[in-house]
Amino acid sequence: MAGEAPEPNAQEKAGKAFPVSWDQFHRDCRALTWRLNEVGPFHAVIAITRGGLVPAAIVARALGVRVIDTVCIASYDHNKQGELQVLKGISEAAIKLGGGTGKGLLIVDDLVDTGKTGKLVREMLPDAHFATVYAKPMGRPLVDTFITEVSQDTWIFFPWDTALSYPPPLRDGAA
Ligand SMILES: O=P(O)(O)OC[C@H]1O[C@H](OP(=O)(O)OP(=O)(O)O)[C@H](O)[C@@H]1O
Ligand SMILES: O=c1[nH]c(=O)c2nc[nH]c2[nH]1
Ligand SMILES: [Mg+2]
């Protein structure tokens, strides 16, 4: 109807912002690798694209894993979650390395929010280890290893999704 306010998207609904710099993200990924080193070794890393690609590269490098595969899933269109679509599944070669169930494989994503994406990938590889850098409470039970938990009403801004911008002064007239 004309004049009606548009539905708030997931980012607007979240309310709180948690901006993450490249430095911070790298530090958090390195902390993740310390924990994962206690769990491995892993035969391969499976990155959930696109957000999982950056932590997967850092984690794979630190753990000395050279076989990296992707599972390509689209859900959030900008910041509104729709139906999950698997655009590319896990390769036969990676599935074979994990004995069909994912044993010895490491799934990596940047975060779990509602847990829908993580749940879908877990169903593909039930015995794999699932690691994310950040976790929100709804998705947290799905993750085996993560570094930082943020509240469900927080939106995480990743460095590859953001650019430097000018923040207006908090108080009128302040320089
Ligand atoms: O736990 P959920 O509620 O499913 O949300 C988490 C997923 O959402 C984001 O991906 P997105 O679908 O935005 O795609 P992208 O990684 O390509 O940015 C994020 O990278 C996770 O994969
Ligand atoms: O950049 C993002 N930040 C988030 O907090 C989030 N939750 C789901 N998908 C997300 N993407
Ligand atoms: Mg993603």
Side-chain angles (χ1 to χ4, degrees):
M1 220 201 295
E4 249 181 41
E7 261 238 13
N9 60 39
Q11 186 181 310
E12 287 159 350
K13 273 190 210 150
K16 291 182 205 154
F18 182 76
V20 180
S21 67
W22 283 111
D23 261 11
Q24 179 72 48
F25 191 74
H26 196 187
R27 235 187 299 274
D28 289 340
C29 286
R30 288 178 62 81
L32 186 63
T33 62
W34 280 99
R35 292 204 186 150
L36 291 172
N37 196 33
E38 310 272 303
V39 184
F42 299 103
H43 309 305
V45 168
I46 316 291
I48 304 180
T49 73
R50 293 159 303 180
L53 285 167
V54 184
I58 296 166
V59 165
R61 188 269 171 194
L63 297 181
V65 179
R66 289 183 179 268
V67 181
I68 301 171
D69 194 17
T70 55
V71 54
C72 304
I73 299 182
S75 69
Y76 288 81
D77 177 12
H78 186 39
N79 43 29
K80 196 175 166 79
Q81 193 170 30
E83 284 299 304
L84 295 191
Q85 277 185 70
V86 180
L87 304 172
K88 180 207 152 281
I90 300 157
S91 74
E92 281 301 321
I95 291 173
K96 217 167 157 189
L97 277 176
T101 61
K103 204 164 168 44
L105 300 186
L106 174 65
I107 302 167
V108 175
D109 207 350
D110 51 358
L111 84 143
V112 274
D113 187 323
T114 63
K116 282 188 189 168
T117 307
K119 183 167 180 286
L120 185 67
V121 180
R122 287 225 80 136
E123 283 165 4
M124 296 174 188
L125 295 173
D127 292 335
H129 191 92
F130 183 31
T132 63
V133 188
Y134 305 113
K136 300 188 193 180
M138 275 176 77
R140 187 187 157 159
L142 286 161
V143 187
D144 296 306
T145 308
F146 68 95
I147 291 301
T148 300
E149 180 167 355
V150 301
S151 62
Q152 199 66 43
D153 62 349
T154 294
W155 191 262
I156 302 169
F157 288 91
F158 290 101
W160 53 88
D161 280 335
T162 52
L164 286 178
S165 68
Y166 170 77
L170 293 179
R171 205 155 44 89
D172 275 350

